């Protein structure tokens, strides 16, 4: 079914792909295992206590092509997968290229993040960390709308995984054309995280000064760019442990 398959698509672009074809599927670094049965509030460090006490931490990364890989990088070498491996976490990666908190990808029948969640994108079993990244494809939308939709999306994610530490990652900007085009969405997502009281990681400037780490489409990181962003994401997440 189209609806089911759409959850697994990682397209070639943060927006549209260079050739319009799917490039990857959702990837499991390993199967998630059961964590604590307690239900702390989103972003509560207590959410990871049982994992730290009983074994390897489990995680789910969800977002657009920046977190799942796209254009020049597959899911296993995306910044999300790289960060998880550096942290020693078991991980699963879900999401779709060209989508966001407001944006869907009609060319491939992929809804916005909230629609994907409603279709089961986060239904992977219990996890200790739920990392949601996005915003690239929402940068042309009204920031107030982005904030509202982000709050709705993050609230739905927290209900799906009350056991998890929920973290929001604001979009990386490829820097080729400066940062002003993503200032609005970065502020909108920061406001959503503040409203919900969850940690917010601002990735906007992670590739600043490194145009060589952006691919020929001027949009997506090269494999080396994903490695750099993966290291920075791992450090940011480690600081929250």
């Amino acid at each position: 079914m189209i609806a089911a398959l759409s959850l697994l698509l990682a397209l070639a672009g943060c927006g549209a792909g260079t050739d319009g074809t799917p490039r990857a599927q959702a990837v499991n670094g390993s199967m998630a295992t059961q964590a604590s049965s307690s239900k702390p509030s989103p972003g509560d460090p207590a959410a990871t206590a049982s994992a730290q006490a009983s074994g390897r931490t489990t995680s789910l990364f969800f977002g657009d092509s920046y977190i799942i890989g796209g254009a020049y990088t597959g899911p296993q070498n995306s910044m999300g997968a790289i960060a998880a491996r550096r942290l020693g976490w078991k991980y699963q990666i879900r999401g779709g290229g060209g989508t966001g908190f407001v944006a869907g990808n009609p060319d491939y029948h992929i809804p916005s993040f909230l629609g994907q969640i409603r279709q089961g994108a986060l239904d992977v079993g219990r996890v200790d960390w739920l990392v949601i990244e996005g915003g690239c494809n929402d940068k042309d939308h009204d920031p107030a709308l982005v904030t509202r939709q982000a709050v709705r999306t993050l609230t739905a994610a927290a209900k799906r995984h009350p056991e998890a530490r929920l973290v929001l990652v604001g979009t990386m900007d490829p820097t080729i054309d400066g940062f002003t085009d993503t200032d609005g969405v970065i502020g909108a997502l920061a406001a959503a995280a503040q409203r919900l009281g969850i940690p917010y990681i601002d990735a906007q400037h992670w590739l600043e000064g490194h145009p060589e780490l952006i691919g020929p489409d001027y949009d997506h990181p090269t494999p080396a760019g994903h490695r750099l962003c993966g290291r920075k994401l791992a450090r940011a997440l480690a600081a929250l442990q």
Side-chain angles (χ1 to χ4, degrees):
M1 297 294 291
I2 290 176
L5 290 174
S6 70
L7 295 175
L8 301 179
L9 292 176
L11 303 184
C14 178
T18 54
D19 61 4
T21 58
R23 294 300 181 102
Q25 292 184 325
V27 60
N28 296 343
S30 60
M31 295 304 294
T33 57
Q34 286 197 350
S36 171
S37 61
S38 61
K39 296 183 178 181
S41 61
D44 190 337
T48 59
S50 67
Q52 294 169 351
S54 62
R56 195 174 176 191
T57 298
T58 58
S59 61
L60 171 61
F61 291 77
F62 174 77
D64 58 31
S65 59
Y66 286 164
I67 203 72
I68 64 178
Y72 315 109
T73 307
Q76 287 283 14
N77 293 310
S78 69
M79 65 179 75
I82 290 167
R85 290 196 296 268
R86 291 182 69 88
L87 291 164
W89 292 357
K90 297 180 181 180
Y91 66 93
Q92 299 190 62
I93 294 178
R94 295 288 179 93
T99 65
F101 295 98
V102 178
N105 190 327
D107 290 341
Y108 288 91
H109 308 283
I110 309 176
S112 68
F113 288 173
L114 185 58
Q116 292 177 60
I117 290 171
R118 288 170 174 168
Q119 290 181 354
L122 304 187
D123 298 349
V124 300
R126 300 176 70 84
V127 294
D128 303 308
W129 290 76
L130 174 55
V131 180
I132 296 182
E133 173 274 341
C136 169
N137 299 301
D138 297 321
K139 64 185 180 182
D140 294 327
H141 290 282
D142 177 59
L145 175 61
V146 174
T147 296
R148 289 195 300 272
Q149 288 300 105
V151 168
R152 292 181 65 199
T153 301
L154 294 164
T155 299
K159 289 180 179 177
R160 281 284 202 278
H161 288 283
E163 79 288 354
R165 182 98 190 265
L166 178 61
V167 179
L168 175 61
V169 180
T171 186
M172 182 276 301
D173 190 313
T175 76
I176 295 298
D177 55 356
F179 297 99
T180 57
D181 60 334
T182 51
D183 283 342
V185 72
I186 286 292
L189 296 178
Q194 183 177 26
R195 188 175 301 177
L196 294 174
I198 65 173
Y200 177 64
I201 297 172
D202 182 350
Q204 184 183 27
H205 290 261
W206 279 1
L207 290 182
E208 183 174 12
H210 293 284
E212 76 281 4
L213 299 182
I214 303 298
D217 66 356
Y218 302 109
D219 190 14
H220 291 87
T222 64
H226 272 277
R227 289 194 293 273
L228 176 59
C229 290
R231 292 194 297 270
K232 292 186 176 185
L233 179 56
R235 286 197 295 269
L237 291 170
L240 297 174
Q241 294 188 106

